[in-house]
Amino acid sequence: IMVRRHIVGPGLKLASVLAVIALHGGALALAWVYTATLAAGVGVYALLLLELLGQQGHFERWRPRRLVIPWRQMLGYAGSLITAESVFLFYSTFITMILQYYRDASHVAGFQAARPFAKLIDVALVTFVHLFVPSLARFYGRGDREGIERLYVQTCAWVSVLSFPLFAVTYGMSDSLAVLLLGDRYADAGSLLALMSLGFFVHSALGANPHALRVLGHVRAAVAADLIAVAVSLAIGFTLIPLGGELGAAATLGLVLCVRGGLNLAALRWRSGLDPLRGHRSIYAAL
Protein backbone atom coordinates (compact mmCIF):
# COMPACT_ATOMS: atom_id res chain seq x y z
CA ILE A 1 0.00 0.00 0.00
CA MET A 2 2.82 2.40 0.86
CA VAL A 3 4.64 1.70 -2.42
CA ARG A 4 1.50 2.08 -4.55
CA ARG A 5 0.07 5.11 -2.76
CA HIS A 6 3.15 7.18 -1.99
CA ILE A 7 5.71 6.14 -4.63
CA VAL A 8 4.09 4.63 -7.73
CA GLY A 9 0.99 6.84 -7.73
CA PRO A 10 2.69 10.24 -7.31
CA GLY A 11 5.49 9.12 -9.64
CA LEU A 12 3.01 8.30 -12.40
CA LYS A 13 1.21 11.62 -11.95
CA LEU A 14 4.47 13.57 -12.03
CA ALA A 15 5.58 11.72 -15.16
CA SER A 16 2.24 12.45 -16.84
CA VAL A 17 2.44 16.17 -16.10
CA LEU A 18 6.03 16.36 -17.36
CA ALA A 19 5.06 14.46 -20.52
CA VAL A 20 2.19 16.85 -21.28
CA ILE A 21 4.46 19.86 -20.70
CA ALA A 22 7.17 18.41 -22.95
CA LEU A 23 4.66 17.73 -25.74
CA HIS A 24 2.99 21.16 -25.30
CA GLY A 25 -0.35 19.51 -24.58
CA GLY A 26 -3.42 21.13 -23.07
CA ALA A 27 -5.99 20.34 -20.42
CA LEU A 28 -7.62 17.59 -22.51
CA ALA A 29 -4.28 15.83 -23.00
CA LEU A 30 -3.62 16.04 -19.26
CA ALA A 31 -7.05 14.52 -18.55
CA TRP A 32 -6.34 11.57 -20.87
CA VAL A 33 -2.90 11.02 -19.36
CA TYR A 34 -4.31 11.17 -15.82
CA THR A 35 -6.89 8.54 -16.78
CA ALA A 36 -4.12 6.32 -18.14
CA THR A 37 -2.02 6.73 -14.98
CA LEU A 38 -4.97 5.83 -12.75
CA ALA A 39 -5.58 2.70 -14.83
CA ALA A 40 -1.88 1.85 -14.55
CA GLY A 41 -2.14 2.30 -10.78
CA VAL A 42 -5.01 -0.19 -10.62
CA GLY A 43 -2.86 -2.60 -12.63
CA VAL A 44 0.01 -2.21 -10.17
CA TYR A 45 -2.39 -2.94 -7.27
CA ALA A 46 -3.57 -6.10 -9.04
CA LEU A 47 -0.01 -7.36 -9.62
CA LEU A 48 0.96 -6.65 -5.99
CA LEU A 49 -2.15 -8.47 -4.77
CA LEU A 50 -1.50 -11.54 -6.94
CA GLU A 51 2.12 -11.65 -5.78
CA LEU A 52 1.06 -11.41 -2.14
CA LEU A 53 -1.58 -14.15 -2.50
CA GLY A 54 1.00 -16.42 -4.15
CA GLN A 55 3.58 -15.82 -1.41
CA GLN A 56 1.07 -16.72 1.30
CA GLY A 57 -0.07 -19.87 -0.49
CA HIS A 58 -3.68 -18.87 -1.03
CA PHE A 59 -3.81 -20.23 -4.57
CA GLU A 60 -2.95 -23.72 -3.34
CA ARG A 61 -5.88 -23.66 -0.93
CA TRP A 62 -8.27 -22.02 -3.40
CA ARG A 63 -11.70 -23.71 -3.42
CA PRO A 64 -14.17 -21.48 -5.32
CA ARG A 65 -17.23 -23.58 -4.46
CA ARG A 66 -16.52 -23.29 -0.75
CA LEU A 67 -16.06 -19.55 -0.88
CA VAL A 68 -18.60 -17.65 1.22
CA ILE A 69 -18.80 -13.94 0.46
CA PRO A 70 -20.46 -11.74 3.14
CA TRP A 71 -22.30 -9.56 0.62
CA ARG A 72 -24.35 -7.64 3.17
CA GLN A 73 -21.37 -6.59 5.28
CA MET A 74 -19.26 -5.79 2.23
CA LEU A 75 -21.94 -3.70 0.51
CA GLY A 76 -22.74 -1.90 3.76
CA TYR A 77 -19.09 -1.01 4.27
CA ALA A 78 -18.77 0.09 0.63
CA GLY A 79 -21.88 2.24 1.00
CA SER A 80 -20.39 3.97 4.01
CA LEU A 81 -17.26 4.73 2.00
CA ILE A 82 -19.44 6.30 -0.72
CA THR A 83 -21.14 8.63 1.77
CA ALA A 84 -17.73 9.54 3.23
CA GLU A 85 -16.53 10.33 -0.28
CA SER A 86 -19.57 12.57 -0.83
CA VAL A 87 -18.53 14.70 2.15
CA PHE A 88 -14.97 14.84 0.81
CA LEU A 89 -16.27 15.89 -2.64
CA PHE A 90 -18.30 18.67 -1.06
CA TYR A 91 -15.40 20.37 0.68
CA SER A 92 -12.88 19.60 -2.06
CA THR A 93 -14.98 20.46 -5.13
CA PHE A 94 -18.55 21.61 -4.56
CA ILE A 95 -17.59 24.62 -2.44
CA THR A 96 -15.43 25.86 -5.31
CA MET A 97 -18.26 25.27 -7.79
CA ILE A 98 -20.74 27.21 -5.65
CA LEU A 99 -18.23 30.04 -5.25
CA GLN A 100 -17.60 30.13 -9.01
CA TYR A 101 -21.35 30.32 -9.63
CA TYR A 102 -21.97 33.28 -7.33
CA ARG A 103 -18.68 35.18 -7.70
CA ASP A 104 -15.96 35.74 -10.30
CA ALA A 105 -12.67 33.92 -10.84
CA SER A 106 -10.68 36.25 -8.57
CA HIS A 107 -12.61 34.99 -5.52
CA VAL A 108 -12.02 31.40 -6.58
CA ALA A 109 -8.30 32.10 -7.07
CA GLY A 110 -7.84 33.42 -3.53
CA PHE A 111 -9.75 30.52 -2.00
CA GLN A 112 -7.91 27.89 -4.05
CA ALA A 113 -4.51 29.46 -3.35
CA ALA A 114 -4.93 29.39 0.44
CA ARG A 115 -6.56 25.97 0.83
CA PRO A 116 -3.51 23.72 0.11
CA PHE A 117 -1.53 25.32 2.95
CA ALA A 118 -4.37 24.71 5.41
CA LYS A 119 -4.74 21.13 4.18
CA LEU A 120 -1.10 20.44 5.14
CA ILE A 121 -2.41 20.08 8.71
CA ASP A 122 -3.93 16.74 7.62
CA VAL A 123 -0.49 15.20 6.95
CA ALA A 124 -0.25 13.49 10.35
CA LEU A 125 -3.79 12.10 10.07
CA VAL A 126 -3.26 10.72 6.57
CA THR A 127 -0.04 9.05 7.70
CA PHE A 128 -1.43 7.51 10.89
CA VAL A 129 -4.62 6.18 9.28
CA HIS A 130 -2.62 3.62 7.28
CA LEU A 131 -1.38 2.18 10.57
CA PHE A 132 -4.52 2.77 12.61
CA VAL A 133 -7.10 0.92 10.49
CA PRO A 134 -5.37 -2.51 10.20
CA SER A 135 -4.22 -2.42 13.82
CA LEU A 136 -7.73 -1.58 15.04
CA ALA A 137 -9.15 -4.36 12.87
CA ARG A 138 -6.80 -6.90 14.47
CA PHE A 139 -7.77 -5.83 18.00
CA TYR A 140 -11.44 -5.94 17.05
CA GLY A 141 -11.07 -9.40 15.50
CA ARG A 142 -9.52 -10.69 18.73
CA GLY A 143 -12.15 -9.02 20.90
CA ASP A 144 -9.46 -7.03 22.71
CA ARG A 145 -11.39 -4.07 24.13
CA GLU A 146 -8.43 -2.77 26.11
CA GLY A 147 -6.25 -2.81 22.99
CA ILE A 148 -8.91 -0.96 21.00
CA GLU A 149 -9.19 1.81 23.59
CA ARG A 150 -5.43 2.16 23.98
CA LEU A 151 -4.82 2.31 20.22
CA TYR A 152 -7.64 4.78 19.65
CA VAL A 153 -6.73 7.30 22.35
CA GLN A 154 -3.01 7.13 21.53
CA THR A 155 -3.65 7.67 17.81
CA CYS A 156 -5.90 10.67 18.47
CA ALA A 157 -3.35 12.17 20.85
CA TRP A 158 -0.39 11.70 18.48
CA VAL A 159 -2.27 13.12 15.50
CA SER A 160 -3.38 16.16 17.54
CA VAL A 161 0.12 16.82 18.88
CA LEU A 162 1.79 16.47 15.47
CA SER A 163 -0.86 18.59 13.73
CA PHE A 164 -0.78 21.42 16.24
CA PRO A 165 2.51 23.09 15.13
CA LEU A 166 1.24 23.43 11.55
CA PHE A 167 -2.07 24.77 12.84
CA ALA A 168 -0.32 27.27 15.12
CA VAL A 169 1.67 28.67 12.20
CA THR A 170 -1.09 28.74 9.58
CA TYR A 171 -3.64 30.17 12.03
CA GLY A 172 -1.56 32.44 14.26
CA MET A 173 0.55 33.93 11.43
CA SER A 174 -1.92 33.58 8.59
CA ASP A 175 -1.61 37.16 7.25
CA SER A 176 2.18 37.12 7.15
CA LEU A 177 2.25 33.59 5.78
CA ALA A 178 -0.14 34.45 2.94
CA VAL A 179 2.07 37.33 1.81
CA LEU A 180 5.25 35.26 2.17
CA LEU A 181 3.97 32.22 0.27
CA LEU A 182 1.56 33.77 -2.21
CA GLY A 183 2.79 37.34 -2.69
CA ASP A 184 1.26 40.76 -2.12
CA ARG A 185 -1.59 40.05 -4.56
CA TYR A 186 -2.97 37.56 -2.02
CA ALA A 187 -2.46 39.70 1.08
CA ASP A 188 -6.17 39.38 1.93
CA ALA A 189 -5.99 35.57 1.86
CA GLY A 190 -4.76 35.45 5.48
CA SER A 191 -8.28 35.40 6.92
CA LEU A 192 -9.21 32.61 4.51
CA LEU A 193 -6.19 30.60 5.60
CA ALA A 194 -7.01 31.08 9.29
CA LEU A 195 -10.63 29.89 8.93
CA MET A 196 -9.67 26.83 6.90
CA SER A 197 -6.76 25.99 9.22
CA LEU A 198 -9.09 25.89 12.21
CA GLY A 199 -11.40 23.49 10.38
CA PHE A 200 -8.58 21.21 9.23
CA PHE A 201 -7.11 21.06 12.73
CA VAL A 202 -10.44 19.94 14.18
CA HIS A 203 -10.71 17.46 11.31
CA SER A 204 -7.27 16.05 12.12
CA ALA A 205 -7.88 15.85 15.85
CA LEU A 206 -11.17 13.98 15.28
CA GLY A 207 -10.22 12.28 12.02
CA ALA A 208 -9.82 8.76 13.40
CA ASN A 209 -13.50 8.59 14.42
CA PRO A 210 -15.11 7.76 11.03
CA HIS A 211 -12.51 5.03 10.43
CA ALA A 212 -13.11 3.62 13.91
CA LEU A 213 -16.88 3.55 13.35
CA ARG A 214 -16.50 1.50 10.17
CA VAL A 215 -13.90 -0.92 11.50
CA LEU A 216 -15.91 -1.57 14.67
CA GLY A 217 -18.99 -2.41 12.60
CA HIS A 218 -21.07 0.71 13.28
CA VAL A 219 -21.61 1.35 9.58
CA ARG A 220 -25.13 2.75 9.89
CA ALA A 221 -23.98 5.36 12.40
CA ALA A 222 -21.13 6.38 10.07
CA VAL A 223 -23.49 6.67 7.09
CA ALA A 224 -26.02 8.69 9.12
CA ALA A 225 -23.30 11.07 10.32
CA ASP A 226 -22.04 11.61 6.76
CA LEU A 227 -25.53 12.17 5.32
CA ILE A 228 -26.35 14.71 8.05
CA ALA A 229 -22.99 16.39 7.40
CA VAL A 230 -23.76 16.68 3.67
CA ALA A 231 -27.21 18.16 4.35
CA VAL A 232 -25.84 20.67 6.86
CA SER A 233 -22.97 21.50 4.51
CA LEU A 234 -25.31 22.31 1.63
CA ALA A 235 -27.35 24.59 3.88
CA ILE A 236 -24.24 26.36 5.16
CA GLY A 237 -22.68 26.66 1.70
CA PHE A 238 -25.71 28.15 -0.03
CA THR A 239 -26.12 30.60 2.86
CA LEU A 240 -22.59 31.85 3.49
CA ILE A 241 -20.99 31.75 0.03
CA PRO A 242 -23.50 34.06 -1.72
CA LEU A 243 -23.17 36.51 1.18
CA GLY A 244 -19.42 36.43 1.81
CA GLY A 245 -17.78 35.22 -1.39
CA GLU A 246 -14.37 33.70 -0.77
CA LEU A 247 -14.59 34.47 2.96
CA GLY A 248 -17.92 32.67 3.07
CA ALA A 249 -16.38 29.72 1.22
CA ALA A 250 -13.52 29.51 3.73
CA ALA A 251 -15.98 29.71 6.63
CA THR A 252 -18.11 27.01 4.98
CA LEU A 253 -15.12 24.70 4.63
CA GLY A 254 -14.10 25.23 8.25
CA LEU A 255 -17.64 24.63 9.52
CA VAL A 256 -18.15 21.54 7.36
CA LEU A 257 -15.00 19.94 8.76
CA CYS A 258 -15.98 20.80 12.34
CA VAL A 259 -19.57 19.58 11.92
CA ARG A 260 -18.49 16.26 10.43
CA GLY A 261 -15.87 15.75 13.14
CA GLY A 262 -18.38 16.49 15.88
CA LEU A 263 -21.01 14.18 14.41
CA ASN A 264 -18.60 11.26 14.08
CA LEU A 265 -17.29 11.81 17.61
CA ALA A 266 -20.82 11.79 19.01
CA ALA A 267 -21.72 8.67 17.01
CA LEU A 268 -18.59 6.82 18.15
CA ARG A 269 -19.12 7.68 21.83
CA TRP A 270 -22.77 6.63 21.56
CA ARG A 271 -22.11 3.32 19.82
CA SER A 272 -18.83 2.20 21.40
CA GLY A 273 -18.13 4.44 24.38
CA LEU A 274 -14.69 5.44 23.07
CA ASP A 275 -13.48 8.86 24.20
CA PRO A 276 -10.31 10.52 22.79
CA LEU A 277 -9.87 12.50 26.02
CA ARG A 278 -9.65 9.40 28.21
CA GLY A 279 -6.19 9.32 29.75
CA HIS A 280 -4.87 12.29 27.76
CA ARG A 281 -6.84 15.26 29.06
CA SER A 282 -3.65 17.09 30.02
CA ILE A 283 -2.37 16.89 26.45
CA TYR A 284 -5.52 18.43 25.00
CA ALA A 285 -5.58 21.04 27.75
CA ALA A 286 -2.00 22.02 26.85
CA LEU A 287 -2.90 22.28 23.16
Side-chain angles (χ1 to χ4, degrees):
I1 293 175
M2 187 275 293
V3 170
R4 162 65 183 91
R5 185 178 182 88
H6 297 291
I7 297 178
V8 177
L12 288 172
K13 286 188 176 182
L14 177 60
S16 65
V17 172
L18 294 177
V20 171
I21 293 174
L23 297 174
H24 304 288
L28 184 60
L30 183 62
W32 277 110
V33 174
Y34 255 47
T35 303
T37 57
L38 290 172
V42 173
V44 171
Y45 259 144
L47 292 175
L48 292 173
L49 178 60
L50 291 174
E51 181 182 357
L52 183 63
L53 291 174
Q55 290 176 355
Q56 297 184 357
H58 290 290
F59 292 128
E60 299 174 2
R61 303 189 300 270
W62 182 255
R63 299 291 186 274
R65 294 183 179 181
R66 298 181 182 179
L67 185 64
V68 178
I69 300 177
W71 292 106
R72 184 175 181 179
Q73 292 88 340
M74 290 176 62
L75 291 175
Y77 189 84
S80 72
L81 294 178
I82 291 175
T83 58
E85 189 69 17
S86 66
V87 181
F88 171 76
L89 283 174
F90 181 85
Y91 69 74
S92 65
T93 303
F94 291 163
I95 291 178
T96 306
M97 294 171 63
I98 298 171
L99 180 60
Q100 177 68 54
Y101 180 80
Y102 285 103
R103 299 299 173 98
D104 56 28
S106 62
H107 288 260
V108 177
F111 175 73
Q112 290 285 72
R115 181 167 58 180
F117 298 104
K119 199 175 186 314
L120 285 174
I121 298 172
D122 262 352
V123 167
L125 173 63
V126 172
T127 303
F128 270 75
V129 160
H130 293 300
L131 305 173
F132 174 72
V133 171
S135 299
L136 185 66
R138 283 195 293 271
F139 284 126
Y140 178 64
R142 294 198 298 260
D144 186 352
R145 174 70 184 187
E146 183 180 350
I148 290 173
E149 292 184 355
R150 184 172 63 252
L151 175 67
Y152 171 74
V153 297
Q154 288 181 354
T155 299
C156 291
W158 272 110
V159 170
S160 300
V161 169
L162 294 176
S163 302
F164 182 78
L166 286 171
F167 165 68
V169 172
T170 54
Y171 184 86
M173 300 189 296
S174 57
D175 293 327
S176 302
L177 198 63
V179 174
L180 176 65
L181 297 175
L182 302 173
D184 294 332
R185 293 175 58 189
Y186 292 94
D188 58 346
S191 56
L192 310 181
L193 180 59
L195 287 171
M196 289 186 283
S197 296
L198 181 59
F200 274 110
F201 178 67
V202 173
H203 178 255
S204 293
L206 303 177
N209 295 326
H211 300 285
L213 278 171
R214 289 171 175 83
V215 172
L216 298 179
H218 308 306
V219 176
R220 291 184 180 180
V223 170
D226 286 336
L227 291 178
I228 294 173
V230 170
V232 173
S233 302
L234 288 171
I236 294 173
F238 281 106
T239 301
L240 295 183
I241 295 176
L243 294 174
E246 58 186 352
L247 189 62
T252 299
L253 177 56
L255 286 172
V256 167
L257 294 171
C258 292
V259 167
R260 191 195 180 208
L263 287 172
N264 280 292
L265 175 61
L268 185 64
R269 293 187 64 178
W270 170 52
R271 297 295 295 171
S272 67
L274 292 176
D275 184 359
L277 298 180
R278 188 171 298 161
H280 295 291
R281 297 183 186 276
S282 59
I283 293 177
Y284 290 99
L287 294 180

